[in-house]
Amino acid sequence: MPDSMSEQLRRDMECEGLLECFHGLKELDKECFRALVEAEEPLTVDEIAESVDRERSTAYRGVQRLLQAGFIEKDQVNYDQGGYYHVYSPADPSQIADDMQRMLNDWYAKMGQLIQEFETKYEQSETSAPPAES
């Protein structure tokens, strides 16, 4: 358990840094995500916009990026008289963590492959280079 409020804030910032690092999310996106996490029930885009003090269209773009990244879920609510609206809620944290772990594993494997290709390429050029003159 964190010792102080500043320690908790630091940890929260590190966690949100993961959102930015893995998905390139913007500050607005993190604010929208935070609003959804802190809400007791799913929110509409209008409610999210009000919570983050932004225009609806701006909040909507953040919501779309969060949806695309898999950090939030969208549900449809139907009116009795016809029509519907959408509400948004955070995705399951364990699913988000699993997705980030999978991305990290994929990145690690790709970097390992690139390092191997680098080593192979420059080893070959070293062995085929003419001897240095003395």
Side-chain angles (χ1 to χ4, degrees), residues 1 14 16 19-20 25 39 47 50 55 64 70 118 121:
M1 190 135 203
E14 288 174 359
E16 288 177 4
L19 306 183
E20 186 174 358
L25 297 180
E47 292 167 329
E50 185 178 322
E55 294 292 323
Q64 291 306 303
F118 174 87
K121 178 180 178 178

Side-chain angles (χ1 to χ4, degrees), residues 1 17 36 47 50 67 83 90 110 123 125 128 131 134:
M1 190 135 203
L36 287 165
E47 292 167 329
E50 185 178 322
L67 268 174
K110 180 66 175 170
E123 249 179 18
S125 66
S128 64
S134 36

Side-chain angles (χ1 to χ4, degrees), residues 72-86:
I72 63 174
E73 297 173 346
K74 175 170 83 170
D75 290 307
Q76 181 174 305
V77 178
N78 296 315
Y79 291 113
D80 292 336
Q81 66 275 20
Y84 63 90
Y85 62 97
H86 291 113

Side-chain angles (χ1 to χ4, degrees), residues 2-14:
D3 298 329
S4 68
M5 189 61 136
S6 62
E7 178 68 13
Q8 179 64 47
L9 181 59
R10 184 186 65 75
R11 288 179 194 261
D12 288 349
M13 299 275 288
E14 288 174 359

Side-chain angles (χ1 to χ4, degrees), residues 55-106:
E55 294 292 323
R56 183 186 196 285
S57 60
T58 303
Y60 181 78
R61 287 191 295 275
V63 166
Q64 291 306 303
R65 285 188 292 268
L66 289 167
L67 268 174
Q68 190 173 33
F71 282 66
I72 63 174
E73 297 173 346
K74 175 170 83 170
D75 290 307
Q76 181 174 305
V77 178
N78 296 315
Y79 291 113
D80 292 336
Q81 66 275 20
Y84 63 90
Y85 62 97
H86 291 113
V87 292
Y88 302 87
S89 57
D92 177 14
S94 62
Q95 182 60 49
I96 294 172
D98 288 349
D99 289 346
M100 285 193 285
Q101 186 64 57
R102 196 169 19 266
M103 289 176 74
L104 178 60
N105 293 344
D106 291 348

